[in-house]
């Protein structure tokens, strides 16, 4: 029987490296673990290694303000002062550790971080746990959510607008599966802060993002049987879900982002809407993928109230994750090309740095 196999690089390096297998007749969809599970110790000061950070030249004509928190290399979290270009190290783990995502709390005091500590194994598979650290990096990260099993992971953490919850994707082994292979599923969850009481929100979903007005949740669904994902908007508790785009409108979508006025939703997508869903990658490799993250993509936006999606860029970039400036004029995003900034309509694209990984958060 013909099988289609594709190696997923993970959600922005946010989940374990895995192989997704889908067969035409064997009904063996799922994920196969390809490397060993790393340990998950709490970070210590000994791991906060010394690094040298050179200032970044910020275009003066942009008149930027605030700070960006993002990854610099896979194991260092930094904060960039947009007024001065000064970089500050918040935490650096060293070794083959991964800091795969970070989000700043609404009060600009704490950062939640998805972190996979260094391992002595040959490969780092990125099973991440969630930690919280001060926004100025003045103290070591503290464990927030602990993995309950070796082969599970947390990714893409984001705060609710009131700071009472942290939303995230939880990758767990699918114990109900009767497939030939070890399979995994994503559960979109939220945990109360600071006590960490967890609540499942949406099954088979990831990429959570909250609207600035504190009323809506955007996420990406994943259907392993159909090898498809779709963009949804729901209430904060996952109720009343509605498609933001017609199902299957794009070959793949991910990395949703609400505009500051909460009226539109940006997202990364592969291909064009309402046309053939076969991308160049699909045609070349005869495979299907469940997300856009490791395939050349563009930024799009669509009205939250419904309407036709509008393409904003023509960059064929990968690994994109963005955030708006506080005034809504600019969008900054991390991608395979580094750290870039553009006008909210996709014009005026400029690269700020060629060294940026994971996620980016624009804070005061």
């Amino acid at each position: 029987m013909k099988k289609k196999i594709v190696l997923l690089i993970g959600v922005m390096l946010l989940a374990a490296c895995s192989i997704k297998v889908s067969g035409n007749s064997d009904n063996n969809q799922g994920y196969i673990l390809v490397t060993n599970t790393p340990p998950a110790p709490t970070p210590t000061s000994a791991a906060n290694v010394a690094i040298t950070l050179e200032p970044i030249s910020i275009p003066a004509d942009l008149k930027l303000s605030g700070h960006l928190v993002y990854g610099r290399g896979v194991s260092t979290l930094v904060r960039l002062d947009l007024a001065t270009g000064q970089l500050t190290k918040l935490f650096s783990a060293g070794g083959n550790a991964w800091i795969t995502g970070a989000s700043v709390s609404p009060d600009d005091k704490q950062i939640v971080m998805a972190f996979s500590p260094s391992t002595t194994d040959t490969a780092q598979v990125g099973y991440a746990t969630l930690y919280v650290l001060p926004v100025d990096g003045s103290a070591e990260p503290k464990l927030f959510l602990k993995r309950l099993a070796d082969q599970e992971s947390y990714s893409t953490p984001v705060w609710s607008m009131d700071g009472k919850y942290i939303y995230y994707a939880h990758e767990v082994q699918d114990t109900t599966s009767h497939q030939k292979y070890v399979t995994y599923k994503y559960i979109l969850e939220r945990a109360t802060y600071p006590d960490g009481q967890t609540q499942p929100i949406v099954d088979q979903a990831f990429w959570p993002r909250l609207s600035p007005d504190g009323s809506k949740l955007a996420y990406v669904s994943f259907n392993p049987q159909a090898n498809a994902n779709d963009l949804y908007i729901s209430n904060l508790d996952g109720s009343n879900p509605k498609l933001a785009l017609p199902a299957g409108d794009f070959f793949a979508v991910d990395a949703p982002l609400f505009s500051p006025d909460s009226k539109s939703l940006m997202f990364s997508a592969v291909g064009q809407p309402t046309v053939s869903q076969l991308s160049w990658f699909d045609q070349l490799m005869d495979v299907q993928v469940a997300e856009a993250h490791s395939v050349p993509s563009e930024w799009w936006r669509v009205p939250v109230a419904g309407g036709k999606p509008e393409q904003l860029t023509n960059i064929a970039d990968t690994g994109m994750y963005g955030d708006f400036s506080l005034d809504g004029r600019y969008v900054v995003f991390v991608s395979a090309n580094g750290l870039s900034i553009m006008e909210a309509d996709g014009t005026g694209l400029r690269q700020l740095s060629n060294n940026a990984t994971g996620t980016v958060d624009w804070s005061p």
Side-chain angles (χ1 to χ4, degrees):
M1 298 296 180
K2 181 180 178 182
K3 292 187 175 66
K4 300 176 180 179
I5 302 178
V6 58
L7 177 66
L8 296 182
I9 305 303
V11 183
M12 302 197 46
L13 298 180
L14 298 170
C17 257
S18 54
I19 294 180
K20 181 168 74 73
V21 179
S22 63
N24 290 342
S25 59
D26 288 347
N27 191 31
N28 58 359
Q29 293 91 346
Y31 292 99
I32 305 174
L33 186 67
V34 295
T35 46
N36 295 326
T37 304
T42 300
T44 64
S45 57
N48 203 353
V49 298
I51 60 172
T52 301
L53 297 173
E54 296 295 332
I56 291 178
S57 178
I58 305 297
D61 62 297
L62 297 182
K63 298 180 180 179
L64 302 179
S65 62
H67 297 82
L68 302 182
V69 171
Y70 63 95
R72 188 172 173 88
V74 296
S75 62
T76 298
L77 191 67
V78 298
R79 192 173 191 231
L80 171 63
D81 187 326
L82 289 168
T84 65
Q86 185 65 43
L87 276 171
T88 301
K89 181 194 69 172
L90 302 179
F91 179 72
S92 186
N96 64 353
W98 278 357
I99 299 172
T100 57
S103 176
V104 181
S105 62
D107 62 7
D108 196 34
K109 293 182 179 180
Q110 304 291 331
I111 296 172
V112 60
M113 174 178 70
F115 175 67
S116 181
S118 182
T119 172
T120 57
D121 295 336
T122 302
Q124 166 66 272
V125 300
Y127 286 114
T129 48
L130 296 185
Y131 295 84
V132 174
L133 71 157
V135 75
D136 60 1
S138 59
E140 296 297 321
K142 293 183 178 180
L143 186 65
F144 176 65
L145 286 185
K146 182 180 180 180
R147 291 190 293 122
L148 301 179
D150 286 340
Q151 296 178 8
E152 69 172 346
S153 185
Y154 302 107
S155 62
T156 55
V158 294
W159 296 82
S160 62
M161 296 302 107
D162 58 10
K164 294 181 179 179
Y165 293 95
I166 295 174
Y167 287 71
Y168 55 91
H170 188 188
E171 184 187 16
V172 297
Q173 185 173 340
D174 187 358
T175 58
T176 65
S177 173
H178 300 290
Q179 312 297 347
K180 297 178 182 178
Y181 307 97
V182 176
T183 60
Y184 290 82
K185 64 180 180 179
Y186 283 98
I187 305 171
L188 196 157
E189 299 177 349
R190 68 182 181 183
T192 54
Y193 181 80
D195 57 324
Q197 297 297 312
T198 62
Q199 176 189 359
I201 300 295
V202 185
D203 196 27
Q204 292 292 19
F206 42 48
W207 288 108
R209 211 67 185 265
L210 284 298
S211 62
D213 66 7
S215 67
K216 297 297 180 183
L217 164 69
Y219 63 88
V220 175
S221 68
F222 172 53
N223 184 335
Q225 283 70 40
N227 296 302
N229 61 357
D230 290 300
L231 186 59
Y232 279 85
I233 298 174
S234 73
N235 295 332
L236 297 180
D237 61 359
S239 63
N240 195 29
K242 296 180 179 179
L243 282 165
L245 302 164
D249 210 17
F250 286 90
F251 178 73
V253 297
D254 63 16
L257 169 64
F258 282 97
S259 60
D261 62 7
S262 302
K263 293 182 179 180
S264 64
L265 190 65
M266 282 184 58
F267 59 95
S268 168
V270 175
Q272 298 288 324
T274 65
V275 296
S276 172
Q277 300 301 302
L278 294 178
S279 71
W280 67 268
F281 186 75
D282 191 52
Q283 296 171 12
L284 178 64
M285 303 298 293
D286 192 26
V287 301
Q288 295 181 1
V289 297
E291 50 131 347
H293 216 66
S294 56
V295 183
S297 311
E298 303 296 340
W299 283 114
W300 293 72
R301 70 180 172 193
V302 63
V304 168
K308 184 178 179 181
E310 175 188 6
Q311 184 173 345
L312 300 180
T313 62
N314 187 22
I315 54 179
D317 209 342
T318 61
M320 299 192 294
Y321 188 100
D323 201 10
F324 275 92
S325 61
L326 304 181
D327 61 6
R329 179 178 177 181
Y330 298 106
V331 174
V332 66
F333 63 94
V334 167
S335 71
N337 287 322
L339 182 67
S340 301
I341 191 170
M342 63 183 183
E343 300 276 349
D345 62 1
T347 60
L349 179 67
R350 306 191 199 189
Q351 186 181 54
L352 298 179
S353 172
N354 61 5
N355 188 344
T357 59
T359 61
V360 60
D361 192 303
W362 198 322
S363 60

